[in-house]
Amino acid sequence: MLMFKERRPTTRTLRGWAISVLREAGAIRDCGEHGWMQDRADPHARERAFDIARQDSPTGFSQEEAEAEVRDVLDSIGDSCPECPSDAD
């Protein structure tokens, strides 16, 4: 039986690609109410995202560039939604 690998949707930027990889790996999620990206702080999901970046970097970009962009996206988001009320109040 032939098996086909499902391809990721085409993205226009390296940042968009990195976000889709992080979502696919389960490393980030969106706030259900406001749509902000949130880091799930799951080390296994992060490692899956970096594995994808190493093994399946987008056309025209090196593995190092793909990994760096995944790291940049992770560094640019927090683990909570800035619009949701905090529990500390």
Side-chain angles (χ1 to χ4, degrees):
M1 178 178 183
L2 277 176
M3 298 294 289
F4 290 95
K5 181 179 176 184
E6 185 176 323
R7 297 193 54 99
R8 280 179 209 82
T10 303
T11 53
R12 295 179 186 251
T13 65
L14 184 58
R15 182 172 177 82
W17 172 85
I19 290 168
S20 70
V21 165
L22 287 163
R23 281 187 179 127
E24 177 183 329
I28 63 173
R29 64 175 174 238
D30 294 331
C31 168
E33 190 172 337
H34 302 107
W36 288 91
M37 287 185 292
Q38 298 173 287
D39 185 347
R40 292 190 55 239
D42 178 346
H44 300 290
R46 284 176 171 233
E47 190 54 41
R48 282 191 302 272
F50 284 113
D51 286 343
I52 292 169
R54 284 183 213 105
Q55 297 169 8
D56 195 18
S57 56
T59 304
F61 295 96
S62 69
Q63 292 177 356
E64 293 80 15
E65 290 171 313
E67 283 185 79
E69 190 61 32
V70 168
R71 189 171 295 105
D72 287 347
V73 170
L74 282 170
D75 290 345
S76 72
I77 60 175
D79 61 354
S80 61
C81 173
E83 292 185 44
C84 288
S86 68
D87 293 336
D89 293 342

